[in-house]
């Protein structure tokens, strides 16, 4: 998918959530990428033990829906915060349909969204996404991923160097004997290297079903 089209799809949530999200993933971050790029609509934390469903939807299904909603938003003469409630409800129903959420739109709240692109390995089922959902008050997360192709990535690679030699000196005893010792040692340094890596785009919608 062309990055220009992808960029329009990323910005779509601004029309639904009333804000614009960052779409790039920090290269060094102690939080998960889901949390680092999360944009909230509302926050009502769940119990730490609450059940959260994590479900995938194909990008081939989601992207056309986002593209259509984006095109509609571009035609509007009013900013999203001034849209009437019936238009917002209609757009939410369209998004939920693209996410394959079969529950009536009136029974689902859109809590927030995360969107990022990365060359790192991301496993939506590793618990980080579910933990963030509980923190934000969502009991259903629907995510999608899209392969963007190859890109350049800087990684730190270890480089080991070896050295050897000998040392000699005169002893300090009464006989003043010459002493000799051979040695060898290694040292490792980390050097930045440019490599080709697969890049993926991820988007996740955090929902609260009533």
């Amino acid at each position: 998918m062309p990055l220009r089209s992808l960029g329009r799809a990323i910005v779509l949530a601004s029309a639904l959530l009333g804000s614009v999200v960052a779409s790039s993933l920090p290269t060094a971050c102690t939080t998960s990428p889901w949390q680092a790029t999360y944009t909230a609509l509302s926050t009502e934390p769940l119990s730490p033990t609450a059940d959260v469903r994590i479900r995938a939807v194909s990008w081939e299904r989601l992207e056309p829906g986002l593209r259509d909603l984006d095109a509609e938003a571009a035609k509007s003469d009013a900013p999203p915060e001034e849209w009437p409630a019936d238009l917002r409800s209609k757009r939410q129903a369209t998004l939920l349909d693209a996410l394959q959420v079969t529950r009536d739109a009136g029974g689902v709240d859109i809590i927030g969204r995360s969107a990022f692109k990365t060359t790192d390995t991301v496993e939506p089922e590793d618990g980080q996404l579910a933990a963030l959902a509980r923190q934000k008050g969502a009991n259903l997360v629907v995510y999608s991923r899209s392969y963007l192709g190859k890109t350049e990535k800087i990684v730190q690679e270890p480089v080991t160097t070896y050295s050897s030699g000998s040392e000699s000196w005169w002893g300090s005893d009464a006989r003043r004997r010459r002493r000799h010792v051979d040695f060898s040692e290694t040292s490792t340094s980390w050097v930045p290297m440019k490599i080709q890596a697969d890049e993926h785009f991820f988007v996740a919608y955090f929902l609260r079903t009533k």
Side-chain angles (χ1 to χ4, degrees):
M1 174 185 180
L3 287 179
R4 184 167 54 186
S5 298
L6 177 60
R8 290 198 299 268
I10 292 174
V11 175
L12 164 70
S14 62
L16 290 164
L17 305 182
S19 58
V20 178
V21 302
S23 62
S24 60
L25 173 65
T27 56
C29 186
T30 57
T31 60
S32 72
W34 309 107
Q35 184 171 357
T37 62
Y38 181 82
T39 297
L41 176 62
S42 63
T43 301
E44 185 181 343
L46 297 176
S47 165
T49 59
D51 182 39
V52 176
R53 290 181 295 148
I54 307 295
R55 182 168 58 76
V57 65
S58 71
W59 181 247
E60 288 73 21
R61 175 184 177 88
L62 179 59
E63 191 273 336
L66 297 181
R67 188 189 296 272
D68 290 344
L69 288 172
D70 186 51
E72 290 179 5
K75 296 177 182 178
S76 176
D77 293 328
E81 60 270 20
E82 296 180 7
W83 291 350
D86 58 340
L87 178 57
R88 286 180 173 272
S89 297
K90 178 182 177 182
R91 292 176 61 82
Q92 177 168 314
T94 300
L95 175 60
L96 294 177
D97 180 67
L99 293 171
Q100 292 182 317
V101 176
T102 57
R103 187 182 293 254
D104 182 82
V108 181
D109 291 330
I110 300 177
I111 303 299
R113 196 194 72 157
S114 292
F116 57 90
K117 54 185 178 179
T118 181
T119 55
D120 295 332
T121 299
V122 175
E123 298 293 345
E125 303 290 346
D126 64 3
Q128 293 183 339
L129 192 52
L132 180 61
R134 293 188 187 94
Q135 177 185 337
K136 303 303 181 181
N139 57 11
L140 171 63
V141 181
V142 183
Y143 73 89
S144 185
R145 76 177 81 196
S146 175
Y147 178 62
L148 301 180
K150 293 286 187 179
T151 189
E152 290 186 344
K153 178 181 181 180
I154 302 297
V155 298
Q156 299 292 325
E157 293 287 350
V159 176
T160 302
T161 57
Y162 301 87
S163 60
S164 62
S166 62
E167 292 181 350
S168 62
W169 67 96
W170 290 102
S172 59
D173 57 2
R175 300 182 64 179
R176 300 284 295 176
R177 293 179 178 178
R178 188 174 182 83
R179 301 182 183 276
H180 179 87
V181 62
D182 294 322
F183 69 88
S184 63
E185 59 185 18
T186 63
S187 63
T188 300
S189 58
W190 293 86
V191 178
M193 303 285 289
K194 185 181 294 186
I195 65 171
Q196 289 289 313
D198 292 326
E199 186 174 41
H200 288 84
F201 168 69
F202 286 85
V203 61
Y205 287 87
F206 296 74
L207 312 175
R208 178 75 177 262
T209 59
K210 303 173 184 178

mmCIF file of all heavy atoms in Angstrom, residues 65-104:
data_model
loop_
_atom_site.group_PDB
_atom_site.id
_atom_site.type_symbol
_atom_site.label_atom_id
_atom_site.label_comp_id
_atom_site.label_asym_id
_atom_site.label_seq_id
_atom_site.Cartn_x
_atom_site.Cartn_y
_atom_site.Cartn_z
ATOM 1 N N GLY A 65 -12.517 0.773 4.483
ATOM 2 C CA GLY A 65 -13.446 1.513 5.335
ATOM 3 C C GLY A 65 -12.827 2.806 5.836
ATOM 4 O O GLY A 65 -13.476 3.868 5.847
ATOM 5 N N LEU A 66 -11.552 2.751 6.257
ATOM 6 C CA LEU A 66 -10.865 3.955 6.712
ATOM 7 C C LEU A 66 -10.717 4.962 5.575
ATOM 8 O O LEU A 66 -10.865 6.169 5.764
ATOM 9 C CB LEU A 66 -9.492 3.580 7.258
ATOM 10 C CG LEU A 66 -9.445 2.676 8.492
ATOM 11 C CD1 LEU A 66 -8.002 2.419 8.901
ATOM 12 C CD2 LEU A 66 -10.227 3.262 9.649
ATOM 13 N N ARG A 67 -10.426 4.447 4.399
ATOM 14 C CA ARG A 67 -10.258 5.334 3.242
ATOM 15 C C ARG A 67 -11.570 6.060 2.920
ATOM 16 O O ARG A 67 -11.571 7.271 2.646
ATOM 17 C CB ARG A 67 -9.792 4.520 2.030
ATOM 18 C CG ARG A 67 -9.409 5.372 0.828
ATOM 19 C CD ARG A 67 -9.167 4.479 -0.388
ATOM 20 N NE ARG A 67 -8.031 3.597 -0.169
ATOM 21 C CZ ARG A 67 -6.773 3.933 -0.448
ATOM 22 N NH1 ARG A 67 -6.506 5.118 -0.937
ATOM 23 N NH2 ARG A 67 -5.798 3.074 -0.242
ATOM 24 N N ASP A 68 -12.690 5.342 2.980
ATOM 25 C CA ASP A 68 -13.985 5.971 2.692
ATOM 26 C C ASP A 68 -14.329 7.033 3.738
ATOM 27 O O ASP A 68 -14.810 8.124 3.397
ATOM 28 C CB ASP A 68 -15.086 4.906 2.658
ATOM 29 C CG ASP A 68 -14.974 3.988 1.448
ATOM 30 O OD1 ASP A 68 -14.246 4.344 0.498
ATOM 31 O OD2 ASP A 68 -15.609 2.910 1.456
ATOM 32 N N LEU A 69 -14.078 6.722 5.003
ATOM 33 C CA LEU A 69 -14.369 7.685 6.059
ATOM 34 C C LEU A 69 -13.476 8.915 5.933
ATOM 35 O O LEU A 69 -13.912 10.046 6.166
ATOM 36 C CB LEU A 69 -14.182 7.029 7.425
ATOM 37 C CG LEU A 69 -15.248 5.994 7.821
ATOM 38 C CD1 LEU A 69 -14.843 5.265 9.096
ATOM 39 C CD2 LEU A 69 -16.610 6.664 8.007
ATOM 40 N N ASP A 70 -12.251 8.700 5.551
ATOM 41 C CA ASP A 70 -11.319 9.801 5.368
ATOM 42 C C ASP A 70 -11.767 10.701 4.226
ATOM 43 O O ASP A 70 -11.683 11.931 4.313
ATOM 44 C CB ASP A 70 -9.927 9.237 5.094
ATOM 45 C CG ASP A 70 -8.863 10.318 5.026
ATOM 46 O OD1 ASP A 70 -8.803 11.141 5.957
ATOM 47 O OD2 ASP A 70 -8.101 10.342 4.050
ATOM 48 N N ALA A 71 -12.252 10.095 3.156
ATOM 49 C CA ALA A 71 -12.720 10.874 2.007
ATOM 50 C C ALA A 71 -13.933 11.715 2.394
ATOM 51 O O ALA A 71 -14.052 12.884 1.988
ATOM 52 C CB ALA A 71 -13.056 9.943 0.844
ATOM 53 N N GLU A 72 -14.831 11.148 3.194
ATOM 54 C CA GLU A 72 -16.013 11.893 3.640
ATOM 55 C C GLU A 72 -15.603 13.075 4.512
ATOM 56 O O GLU A 72 -16.159 14.166 4.411
ATOM 57 C CB GLU A 72 -16.954 10.969 4.404
ATOM 58 C CG GLU A 72 -17.645 9.922 3.536
ATOM 59 C CD GLU A 72 -18.550 9.022 4.360
ATOM 60 O OE1 GLU A 72 -18.698 9.292 5.572
ATOM 61 O OE2 GLU A 72 -19.097 8.061 3.794
ATOM 62 N N ALA A 73 -14.640 12.827 5.400
ATOM 63 C CA ALA A 73 -14.185 13.905 6.291
ATOM 64 C C ALA A 73 -13.564 15.043 5.496
ATOM 65 O O ALA A 73 -13.716 16.221 5.845
ATOM 66 C CB ALA A 73 -13.189 13.349 7.298
ATOM 67 N N ALA A 74 -12.861 14.716 4.424
ATOM 68 C CA ALA A 74 -12.206 15.739 3.619
ATOM 69 C C ALA A 74 -13.219 16.645 2.924
ATOM 70 O O ALA A 74 -12.928 17.813 2.623
ATOM 71 C CB ALA A 74 -11.293 15.089 2.594
ATOM 72 N N LYS A 75 -14.413 16.121 2.660
ATOM 73 C CA LYS A 75 -15.445 16.898 1.972
ATOM 74 C C LYS A 75 -16.218 17.817 2.913
ATOM 75 O O LYS A 75 -16.923 18.709 2.467
ATOM 76 C CB LYS A 75 -16.428 15.961 1.280
ATOM 77 C CG LYS A 75 -15.811 15.116 0.180
ATOM 78 C CD LYS A 75 -16.848 14.160 -0.400
ATOM 79 C CE LYS A 75 -16.249 13.262 -1.469
ATOM 80 N NZ LYS A 75 -17.251 12.292 -2.004
ATOM 81 N N SER A 76 -16.094 17.584 4.229
ATOM 82 C CA SER A 76 -16.880 18.349 5.192
ATOM 83 C C SER A 76 -16.359 19.772 5.330
ATOM 84 O O SER A 76 -15.150 20.006 5.365
ATOM 85 C CB SER A 76 -16.847 17.655 6.565
ATOM 86 O OG SER A 76 -17.518 18.436 7.532
ATOM 87 N N ASP A 77 -17.271 20.730 5.412
ATOM 88 C CA ASP A 77 -16.895 22.125 5.605
ATOM 89 C C ASP A 77 -16.712 22.457 7.082
ATOM 90 O O ASP A 77 -16.218 23.537 7.416
ATOM 91 C CB ASP A 77 -17.966 23.051 5.020
ATOM 92 C CG ASP A 77 -18.046 22.945 3.496
ATOM 93 O OD1 ASP A 77 -16.994 22.702 2.869
ATOM 94 O OD2 ASP A 77 -19.152 23.103 2.944
ATOM 95 N N ALA A 78 -17.118 21.542 7.961
ATOM 96 C CA ALA A 78 -17.025 21.786 9.401
ATOM 97 C C ALA A 78 -15.980 20.870 10.014
ATOM 98 O O ALA A 78 -15.791 19.739 9.564
ATOM 99 C CB ALA A 78 -18.385 21.539 10.065
ATOM 100 N N PRO A 79 -15.292 21.322 11.047
ATOM 101 C CA PRO A 79 -14.323 20.457 11.735
ATOM 102 C C PRO A 79 -15.060 19.368 12.507
ATOM 103 O O PRO A 79 -16.249 19.517 12.827
ATOM 104 C CB PRO A 79 -13.591 21.413 12.674
ATOM 105 C CG PRO A 79 -14.574 22.521 12.931
ATOM 106 C CD PRO A 79 -15.324 22.677 11.648
ATOM 107 N N PRO A 80 -14.380 18.259 12.801
ATOM 108 C CA PRO A 80 -15.037 17.123 13.453
ATOM 109 C C PRO A 80 -15.780 17.476 14.734
ATOM 110 O O PRO A 80 -16.858 16.926 15.006
ATOM 111 C CB PRO A 80 -13.874 16.165 13.739
ATOM 112 C CG PRO A 80 -12.873 16.487 12.676
ATOM 113 C CD PRO A 80 -12.974 17.963 12.478
ATOM 114 N N GLU A 81 -15.221 18.408 15.539
ATOM 115 C CA GLU A 81 -15.879 18.728 16.811
ATOM 116 C C GLU A 81 -17.215 19.438 16.635
ATOM 117 O O GLU A 81 -17.995 19.548 17.583
ATOM 118 C CB GLU A 81 -14.950 19.578 17.693
ATOM 119 C CG GLU A 81 -14.529 20.900 17.103
ATOM 120 C CD GLU A 81 -13.245 20.808 16.297
ATOM 121 O OE1 GLU A 81 -12.877 19.680 15.883
ATOM 122 O OE2 GLU A 81 -12.606 21.854 16.079
ATOM 123 N N GLU A 82 -17.493 19.901 15.418
ATOM 124 C CA GLU A 82 -18.759 20.589 15.158
ATOM 125 C C GLU A 82 -19.769 19.709 14.422
ATOM 126 O O GLU A 82 -20.862 20.162 14.098
ATOM 127 C CB GLU A 82 -18.507 21.870 14.353
ATOM 128 C CG GLU A 82 -17.682 22.912 15.087
ATOM 129 C CD GLU A 82 -17.450 24.168 14.261
ATOM 130 O OE1 GLU A 82 -18.050 24.275 13.163
ATOM 131 O OE2 GLU A 82 -16.671 25.034 14.705
ATOM 132 N N TRP A 83 -19.424 18.472 14.161
ATOM 133 C CA TRP A 83 -20.353 17.592 13.470
ATOM 134 C C TRP A 83 -21.529 17.246 14.366
ATOM 135 O O TRP A 83 -21.363 17.073 15.581
ATOM 136 C CB TRP A 83 -19.650 16.300 13.032
ATOM 137 C CG TRP A 83 -18.643 16.521 11.940
ATOM 138 C CD1 TRP A 83 -18.436 17.649 11.210
ATOM 139 C CD2 TRP A 83 -17.696 15.564 11.474
ATOM 140 N NE1 TRP A 83 -17.420 17.472 10.309
ATOM 141 C CE2 TRP A 83 -16.946 16.195 10.439
ATOM 142 C CE3 TRP A 83 -17.411 14.250 11.806
ATOM 143 C CZ2 TRP A 83 -15.931 15.549 9.749
ATOM 144 C CZ3 TRP A 83 -16.396 13.603 11.120
ATOM 145 C CH2 TRP A 83 -15.668 14.243 10.111
ATOM 146 N N PRO A 84 -22.721 17.100 13.792
ATOM 147 C CA PRO A 84 -23.891 16.715 14.587
ATOM 148 C C PRO A 84 -23.763 15.277 15.097
ATOM 149 O O PRO A 84 -23.033 14.457 14.529
ATOM 150 C CB PRO A 84 -25.049 16.864 13.594
ATOM 151 C CG PRO A 84 -24.422 16.719 12.246
ATOM 152 C CD PRO A 84 -23.050 17.329 12.370
ATOM 153 N N ALA A 85 -24.494 14.996 16.155
ATOM 154 C CA ALA A 85 -24.403 13.681 16.798
ATOM 155 C C ALA A 85 -24.790 12.556 15.856
ATOM 156 O O ALA A 85 -24.194 11.467 15.903
ATOM 157 C CB ALA A 85 -25.290 13.653 18.047
ATOM 158 N N ASP A 86 -25.787 12.786 14.986
ATOM 159 C CA ASP A 86 -26.217 11.714 14.092
ATOM 160 C C ASP A 86 -25.125 11.353 13.083
ATOM 161 O O ASP A 86 -24.938 10.177 12.732
ATOM 162 C CB ASP A 86 -27.507 12.091 13.364
ATOM 163 C CG ASP A 86 -27.374 13.367 12.542
ATOM 164 O OD1 ASP A 86 -26.434 14.161 12.810
ATOM 165 O OD2 ASP A 86 -28.196 13.568 11.624
ATOM 166 N N LEU A 87 -24.318 12.344 12.627
ATOM 167 C CA LEU A 87 -23.228 12.067 11.702
ATOM 168 C C LEU A 87 -22.114 11.300 12.408
ATOM 169 O O LEU A 87 -21.545 10.353 11.842
ATOM 170 C CB LEU A 87 -22.684 13.368 11.117
ATOM 171 C CG LEU A 87 -21.486 13.231 10.160
ATOM 172 C CD1 LEU A 87 -21.828 12.315 8.998
ATOM 173 C CD2 LEU A 87 -21.042 14.595 9.658
ATOM 174 N N ARG A 88 -21.816 11.687 13.649
ATOM 175 C CA ARG A 88 -20.803 10.957 14.406
ATOM 176 C C ARG A 88 -21.223 9.501 14.616
ATOM 177 O O ARG A 88 -20.403 8.581 14.491
ATOM 178 C CB ARG A 88 -20.575 11.626 15.761
ATOM 179 C CG ARG A 88 -19.800 12.926 15.690
ATOM 180 C CD ARG A 88 -19.634 13.518 17.088
ATOM 181 N NE ARG A 88 -18.751 14.674 17.070
ATOM 182 C CZ ARG A 88 -17.440 14.631 17.204
ATOM 183 N NH1 ARG A 88 -16.841 13.463 17.363
ATOM 184 N NH2 ARG A 88 -16.711 15.733 17.200
ATOM 185 N N SER A 89 -22.486 9.298 14.936
ATOM 186 C CA SER A 89 -22.986 7.939 15.155
ATOM 187 C C SER A 89 -22.907 7.109 13.878
ATOM 188 O O SER A 89 -22.537 5.929 13.905
ATOM 189 C CB SER A 89 -24.439 7.984 15.664
ATOM 190 O OG SER A 89 -24.510 8.626 16.917
ATOM 191 N N LYS A 90 -23.222 7.741 12.751
ATOM 192 C CA LYS A 90 -23.161 7.038 11.468
ATOM 193 C C LYS A 90 -21.734 6.631 11.149
ATOM 194 O O LYS A 90 -21.475 5.497 10.710
ATOM 195 C CB LYS A 90 -23.710 7.936 10.360
ATOM 196 C CG LYS A 90 -23.636 7.306 8.971
ATOM 197 C CD LYS A 90 -24.147 8.280 7.910
ATOM 198 C CE LYS A 90 -23.996 7.677 6.519
ATOM 199 N NZ LYS A 90 -24.454 8.628 5.454
ATOM 200 N N ARG A 91 -20.793 7.526 11.385
ATOM 201 C CA ARG A 91 -19.395 7.231 11.091
ATOM 202 C C ARG A 91 -18.862 6.150 12.025
ATOM 203 O O ARG A 91 -18.079 5.304 11.624
ATOM 204 C CB ARG A 91 -18.559 8.503 11.191
ATOM 205 C CG ARG A 91 -18.868 9.509 10.087
ATOM 206 C CD ARG A 91 -18.077 10.794 10.277
ATOM 207 N NE ARG A 91 -16.638 10.542 10.219
ATOM 208 C CZ ARG A 91 -15.944 10.423 9.087
ATOM 209 N NH1 ARG A 91 -16.568 10.491 7.922
ATOM 210 N NH2 ARG A 91 -14.649 10.214 9.114
ATOM 211 N N GLN A 92 -19.296 6.180 13.290
ATOM 212 C CA GLN A 92 -18.868 5.144 14.222
ATOM 213 C C GLN A 92 -19.380 3.784 13.784
ATOM 214 O O GLN A 92 -18.656 2.780 13.847
ATOM 215 C CB GLN A 92 -19.351 5.452 15.639
ATOM 216 C CG GLN A 92 -18.993 4.343 16.639
ATOM 217 C CD GLN A 92 -19.198 4.753 18.074
ATOM 218 O OE1 GLN A 92 -18.802 5.845 18.475
ATOM 219 N NE2 GLN A 92 -19.819 3.890 18.866
ATOM 220 N N ALA A 93 -20.623 3.734 13.320
ATOM 221 C CA ALA A 93 -21.192 2.472 12.846
ATOM 222 C C ALA A 93 -20.415 1.941 11.650
ATOM 223 O O ALA A 93 -20.191 0.728 11.524
ATOM 224 C CB ALA A 93 -22.669 2.671 12.486
ATOM 225 N N THR A 94 -19.973 2.838 10.762
ATOM 226 C CA THR A 94 -19.189 2.425 9.605
ATOM 227 C C THR A 94 -17.847 1.841 10.032
ATOM 228 O O THR A 94 -17.396 0.818 9.498
ATOM 229 C CB THR A 94 -18.959 3.622 8.664
ATOM 230 O OG1 THR A 94 -20.223 4.133 8.221
ATOM 231 C CG2 THR A 94 -18.132 3.216 7.453
ATOM 232 N N LEU A 95 -17.218 2.474 11.013
ATOM 233 C CA LEU A 95 -15.940 1.979 11.503
ATOM 234 C C LEU A 95 -16.110 0.614 12.174
ATOM 235 O O LEU A 95 -15.322 -0.302 11.935
ATOM 236 C CB LEU A 95 -15.333 2.971 12.493
ATOM 237 C CG LEU A 95 -14.045 2.511 13.179
ATOM 238 C CD1 LEU A 95 -12.941 2.225 12.165
ATOM 239 C CD2 LEU A 95 -13.577 3.542 14.200
ATOM 240 N N LEU A 96 -17.129 0.475 12.994
ATOM 241 C CA LEU A 96 -17.353 -0.802 13.677
ATOM 242 C C LEU A 96 -17.624 -1.916 12.672
ATOM 243 O O LEU A 96 -17.206 -3.063 12.877
ATOM 244 C CB LEU A 96 -18.516 -0.680 14.668
ATOM 245 C CG LEU A 96 -18.270 0.256 15.861
ATOM 246 C CD1 LEU A 96 -19.529 0.344 16.728
ATOM 247 C CD2 LEU A 96 -17.088 -0.226 16.684
ATOM 248 N N ASP A 97 -18.302 -1.595 11.596
ATOM 249 C CA ASP A 97 -18.539 -2.593 10.552
ATOM 250 C C ASP A 97 -17.223 -3.020 9.914
ATOM 251 O O ASP A 97 -16.998 -4.211 9.664
ATOM 252 C CB ASP A 97 -19.487 -2.023 9.487
ATOM 253 C CG ASP A 97 -19.764 -3.016 8.371
ATOM 254 O OD1 ASP A 97 -20.403 -4.048 8.645
ATOM 255 O OD2 ASP A 97 -19.325 -2.770 7.237
ATOM 256 N N ALA A 98 -16.336 -2.043 9.665
ATOM 257 C CA ALA A 98 -15.024 -2.371 9.091
ATOM 258 C C ALA A 98 -14.205 -3.228 10.052
ATOM 259 O O ALA A 98 -13.400 -4.053 9.630
ATOM 260 C CB ALA A 98 -14.272 -1.095 8.743
ATOM 261 N N LEU A 99 -14.426 -3.048 11.354
ATOM 262 C CA LEU A 99 -13.725 -3.828 12.375
ATOM 263 C C LEU A 99 -14.389 -5.175 12.648
ATOM 264 O O LEU A 99 -13.922 -5.933 13.500
ATOM 265 C CB LEU A 99 -13.658 -3.027 13.685
ATOM 266 C CG LEU A 99 -12.802 -1.761 13.664
ATOM 267 C CD1 LEU A 99 -13.005 -0.969 14.950
ATOM 268 C CD2 LEU A 99 -11.333 -2.097 13.476
ATOM 269 N N GLN A 100 -15.466 -5.461 11.946
ATOM 270 C CA GLN A 100 -16.224 -6.702 12.125
ATOM 271 C C GLN A 100 -16.788 -6.828 13.535
ATOM 272 O O GLN A 100 -16.850 -7.905 14.113
ATOM 273 C CB GLN A 100 -15.362 -7.925 11.788
ATOM 274 C CG GLN A 100 -15.009 -8.046 10.321
ATOM 275 C CD GLN A 100 -14.207 -9.291 10.008
ATOM 276 O OE1 GLN A 100 -13.277 -9.652 10.738
ATOM 277 N NE2 GLN A 100 -14.551 -9.969 8.914
ATOM 278 N N VAL A 101 -17.228 -5.701 14.065
ATOM 279 C CA VAL A 101 -17.920 -5.695 15.359
ATOM 280 C C VAL A 101 -19.407 -5.744 15.066
ATOM 281 O O VAL A 101 -19.975 -4.798 14.509
ATOM 282 C CB VAL A 101 -17.561 -4.439 16.183
ATOM 283 C CG1 VAL A 101 -18.360 -4.390 17.479
ATOM 284 C CG2 VAL A 101 -16.066 -4.415 16.479
ATOM 285 N N THR A 102 -20.045 -6.839 15.414
ATOM 286 C CA THR A 102 -21.439 -7.053 15.043
ATOM 287 C C THR A 102 -22.433 -6.439 16.020
ATOM 288 O O THR A 102 -23.612 -6.305 15.696
ATOM 289 C CB THR A 102 -21.720 -8.555 14.929
ATOM 290 O OG1 THR A 102 -21.407 -9.208 16.175
ATOM 291 C CG2 THR A 102 -20.874 -9.178 13.827
ATOM 292 N N ARG A 103 -21.976 -6.060 17.203
ATOM 293 C CA ARG A 103 -22.872 -5.458 18.177
ATOM 294 C C ARG A 103 -23.357 -4.105 17.669
ATOM 295 O O ARG A 103 -22.633 -3.395 16.956
ATOM 296 C CB ARG A 103 -22.146 -5.291 19.514
ATOM 297 C CG ARG A 103 -23.037 -4.826 20.667
ATOM 298 C CD ARG A 103 -22.209 -4.650 21.915
ATOM 299 N NE ARG A 103 -21.718 -5.930 22.382
ATOM 300 C CZ ARG A 103 -22.178 -6.564 23.439
ATOM 301 N NH1 ARG A 103 -23.161 -6.021 24.144
ATOM 302 N NH2 ARG A 103 -21.669 -7.714 23.809
ATOM 303 N N ASP A 104 -24.586 -3.720 18.046
ATOM 304 C CA ASP A 104 -25.144 -2.437 17.638
ATOM 305 C C ASP A 104 -24.228 -1.306 18.089
ATOM 306 O O ASP A 104 -23.671 -1.332 19.188
ATOM 307 C CB ASP A 104 -26.533 -2.253 18.242
ATOM 308 C CG ASP A 104 -27.174 -0.943 17.809
ATOM 309 O OD1 ASP A 104 -27.740 -0.905 16.699
ATOM 310 O OD2 ASP A 104 -27.095 0.028 18.588
#
